[in-house]
Amino acid sequence: MDWGTDLWDQCDHIDKHTQSGIDLVERYIKFVKERTEIEQSYAKQLRNLSKKYAKRGSKDEQDCKFSNHASFQEILNELNDYAGQRELIAENMMTAICVELTKYLQDLKQERKTHLSDAKKAQQNLESSFKHLESTKKRFAKEWAEADKATQQAEKIESDLSCTRLEVEKAKQHAHSRTHTAEECRSDYAAELQKYNKEQNFFYYTEIPQIFNKMQDMDERRIRRLAEGYCQFSDIEKKVLPIISKCLEGISAAGAKINEKQDSILFIEQHKSGFERPGDLEFEDYSQGIKPASSDSSLNPPKVRTKLWPFSKKHKPPAAEDFSHLPPEQRKKRLQAKIDEITKELQKALDQSEALEKMKGVYEQNPQMGDPSSLEPQITETAQNIGRLRGELAKYETWLLEAVGGEDPSNTINNNSQNSVVASETTQNIYTEFEDEFDEVEGPIGQCTALYTFEGNSEGTISITEGEMLSVMEEDKGDGWMRVLRASGEEGYIPSSYVKVAP
């Protein structure tokens, strides 16, 4: 069954049906657009929510050392990543469904307009042919009536004895002429009728069926394309479900790794003063009279205890740079934390210095990439920063040794400070050995497997597929990206969260 055979006389209904299909595509496009707006609004609200409850400031950073505080921060981070996936859903829906369907809809409208125009033109041609047939038919009828009248008049004149022979011959000639003209009109009418029947047969059995079948094919293609759009509405969200599931699993993991006992121990370590508890007060026996002036009591009268409740407010002494205003245990911890902080900053500065020197070497070997002298101010500034950090590190290490006193410094000073010394010694040689190291071929430092597909569209990135084995050329420096090498020889950066590094 097809439209051309079974709906040959239903052009109006075909017109309405195809227009209804186009209206449905437009409604679906509008529906998806509103869905993307909801997703974008939802993602924005989630980001604002996570930003609102994120910890800020030194006090909040101190609280984040506790597992229950840190887990909440991880939940906020996972929620922020989750919001990013909702934004990705909205972006993909807009690109893959709305934009593509809008382009397809324009072509569909133009195709439908062409088919309807062809059908209307064919109908007009048939109607024009029919009008011409009717005109020929009327002329034939008129001429035949005139011929019949002329014949009757000739017969009447011939039977009239009063008419001359000339009049009879003239009447017969007129009747013959009319009859001949009527016969020509009859032939024209027969020819036009045959022509019209042929055109009508072609119109109803060939031309219109072809146009209607093309419109049927057009409508079926529209339905298939719309069905694909329906499936994309689901598939686009399915593609990000693994990452969304990972975010939700991260939230669950953050809740599961809270350790209430460890938090209590950490709170104790942070705030214990190291002082001994007050000793018992001695009994003062006033019944024995005034004690001799040489007695210990008169020389060392008992101190009045001004504070019995540990939670009463007290005046805080001004903070000293070496934390000498703090109790012994707290001072050691604060000094150690400061050393760790400076060590991290120093290592970061050393990495930055190394990167600048490498970049300078690249510019020297490839002048078209940049001017080596343009990096000198940054190199100088980084070197000054490294010198300043080393001075501060030595100063705080000295204060920590004073706070430790007779204890073994190796048990107190964090390994990070020792590592910083080693790093500083290594850095002194890095500039002399740089030229030799730079010419060496860089090899992979590990292997990893792609967990998800990533489309590398920006400069410096590459595309990877789920399950692909990759060689790690450069680890994540803390910015969320790592450099990898594909089996095809293609090298570039990818998100660290998209791969699993082999142990």
Side-chain angles (χ1 to χ4, degrees):
M1 299 178 67
D2 54 62
W3 291 10
T5 302
D6 300 289
L7 300 177
W8 63 270
D9 58 344
Q10 300 297 324
C11 183
D12 291 342
H13 287 92
I14 290 176
D15 186 354
K16 292 179 181 178
H17 178 74
T18 52
Q19 182 61 47
S20 174
I22 288 176
D23 292 342
L24 178 60
V25 176
E26 290 180 335
R27 284 180 61 205
Y28 183 63
I29 293 173
K30 185 177 180 182
F31 161 74
V32 176
K33 283 183 179 178
E34 292 188 9
R35 162 71 189 276
T36 59
E37 291 172 359
I38 292 173
E39 289 288 354
Q40 290 170 345
S41 175
Y42 179 46
K44 182 179 180 180
Q45 292 179 19
L46 288 179
R47 287 192 184 279
N48 290 338
L49 182 65
S50 59
K51 183 179 179 180
K52 176 181 178 181
Y53 285 90
K55 290 286 189 178
R56 298 184 185 87
S58 57
K59 181 179 181 300
D60 293 335
E61 291 176 0
Q62 186 73 14
D63 288 340
C64 284
K65 294 181 180 180
F66 298 101
S67 64
N68 55 100
H69 288 266
S71 292
F72 183 56
Q73 294 305 307
E74 290 182 17
I75 289 173
L76 295 177
N77 293 335
E78 294 291 350
L79 187 64
N80 197 56
D81 293 342
Y82 177 85
Q85 298 307 310
R86 306 314 305 188
E87 290 174 337
L88 184 61
I89 290 174
E91 180 181 350
N92 290 344
M93 282 187 175
M94 180 61 70
T95 303
I97 298 179
C98 296
V99 175
E100 293 300 323
L101 273 183
T102 300
K103 293 179 182 177
Y104 175 74
L105 186 61
Q106 297 302 321
D107 297 337
L108 189 67
K109 287 181 177 180
Q110 184 60 41
E111 183 179 357
R112 175 179 176 274
K113 182 178 179 181
T114 301
H115 292 323
L116 291 176
S117 177
D118 291 343
K120 184 177 181 180
K121 184 177 180 181
Q123 182 69 32
Q124 289 175 348
N125 291 337
L126 185 63
E127 290 175 356
S128 177
S129 180
F130 180 74
K131 288 180 180 179
H132 188 63
L133 174 64
E134 286 292 312
S135 175
T136 306
K137 179 181 176 182
K138 289 179 180 179
R139 183 168 176 266
F140 164 61
K142 179 181 178 182
E143 291 295 334
W144 190 258
E146 291 292 334
D148 186 54
K149 182 179 178 182
T151 302
Q152 292 178 2
Q153 184 67 24
E155 290 177 353
K156 181 179 179 182
I157 292 174
E158 186 178 6
S159 62
D160 188 357
L161 298 176
S162 62
C163 292
T164 64
R165 185 176 181 85
L166 182 62
E167 291 177 341
V168 172
E169 287 296 329
K170 186 177 179 180
K172 284 183 178 181
Q173 287 179 0
H174 180 69
H176 178 74
S177 175
R178 283 292 182 179
T179 302
H180 179 72
T181 303
E183 287 292 339
E184 289 180 350
C185 291
R186 183 175 184 274
S187 298
D188 291 344
Y189 171 61
E192 285 296 327
L193 180 62
Q194 185 179 5
K195 178 184 175 184
Y196 174 77
N197 287 335
K198 185 178 179 180
E199 290 179 354
Q200 180 177 252
N201 185 277
F202 176 75
F203 176 81
Y204 285 114
Y205 288 91
T206 302
E207 191 171 19
I208 284 298
Q210 287 179 353
I211 294 174
F212 285 1
N213 286 339
K214 288 179 181 178
M215 295 187 72
Q216 179 182 359
D217 178 68
M218 176 198 72
D219 195 62
E220 290 175 355
R221 281 188 281 109
R222 174 196 63 81
I223 294 172
R224 283 197 302 270
R225 183 65 184 84
L226 189 58
E228 292 173 3
Y230 290 165
C231 294
Q232 283 180 309
F233 189 78
S234 170
D235 294 340
I236 287 173
E237 188 163 357
K238 285 181 180 178
K239 287 181 180 179
V240 300
L241 280 181
I243 303 180
I244 289 178
S245 297
K246 187 176 180 181
C247 293
L248 297 177
E249 289 172 2
I251 292 175
S252 298
K257 70 180 184 181
I258 292 177
N259 189 329
E260 61 277 7
K261 294 297 183 182
Q262 188 64 35
D263 283 1
S264 295
I265 294 173
L266 178 60
F267 178 71
I268 293 172
E269 292 294 329
Q270 282 184 353
H271 298 285
K272 67 177 181 181
S273 65
F275 293 127
E276 294 293 333
R277 292 182 177 84
D280 295 338
L281 294 178
E282 295 181 0
F283 177 75
E284 299 180 23
D285 191 359
Y286 291 99
S287 63
Q288 300 298 323
I290 299 175
K291 294 183 179 180
S294 60
S295 66
D296 293 340
S297 300
S298 61
L299 293 176
N300 301 297
K303 297 179 180 180
V304 179
R305 294 176 60 85
T306 59
K307 182 184 73 171
L308 296 178
W309 183 241
F311 299 106
S312 60
K313 294 183 179 179
K314 59 182 179 179
H315 176 70
K316 293 183 178 180
E321 185 181 7
D322 61 353
F323 304 111
S324 57
H325 62 286
L326 297 175
E329 287 293 328
Q330 296 303 313
R331 184 190 181 196
K332 285 187 287 184
K333 290 187 179 299
R334 292 295 294 275
L335 287 171
Q336 184 61 60
K338 191 68 177 178
I339 289 174
D340 293 342
E341 179 184 345
I342 296 174
T343 301
K344 289 180 181 178
E345 292 183 12
L346 178 59
Q347 188 60 46
K348 185 177 179 180
L350 292 172
D351 292 340
Q352 183 179 0
S353 175
E354 181 181 357
L356 289 171
E357 288 295 335
K358 285 185 178 181
M359 189 179 298
K360 180 181 178 182
V362 172
Y363 286 177
E364 290 174 349
Q365 294 185 3
N366 302 281
Q368 68 276 10
M369 297 183 66
D371 183 12
S373 60
S374 64
L375 299 176
E376 288 298 336
Q378 297 182 48
I379 294 176
T380 303
E381 182 181 354
T382 305
Q384 293 175 353
N385 189 34
I386 290 174
R388 178 184 61 80
L389 291 172
R390 284 176 177 163
E392 290 188 4
L393 183 63
K395 178 174 63 176
Y396 279 96
E397 286 177 346
T398 302
W399 285 338
L400 180 60
L401 290 174
E402 293 176 358
V404 172
E407 298 181 19
D408 186 2
S410 61
N411 296 330
T412 307
I413 301 178
N414 192 284
N415 290 332
N416 291 334
S417 63
Q418 299 177 5
N419 292 338
S420 67
V421 176
V422 175
S424 63
E425 294 174 356
T426 305
T427 308
Q428 294 175 359
N429 300 326
I430 196 169
Y431 303 115
T432 59
E433 300 176 0
F434 174 74
E435 294 295 333
D436 295 334
E437 292 179 359
F438 188 79
D439 294 334
E440 294 180 359
V441 178
E442 184 180 8
I445 59 176
Q447 299 290 325
C448 64
T449 305
L451 298 175
Y452 315 104
T453 298
F454 172 72
E455 299 293 338
N457 296 325
S458 57
E459 183 179 358
T461 63
I462 60 172
S463 300
I464 59 174
T465 56
E466 182 178 352
E468 182 178 359
M469 293 296 296
L470 306 163
S471 299
V472 180
M473 305 303 292
E474 183 179 334
E475 294 180 342
D476 186 353
K477 296 294 186 180
D479 57 358
W481 294 84
M482 63 191 303
R483 185 161 56 92
V484 299
L485 175 67
R486 302 183 70 182
S488 61
E490 188 179 8
E491 184 176 345
Y493 288 90
I494 61 170
S496 305
S497 60
Y498 275 57
V499 297
K500 179 180 180 182
V501 179

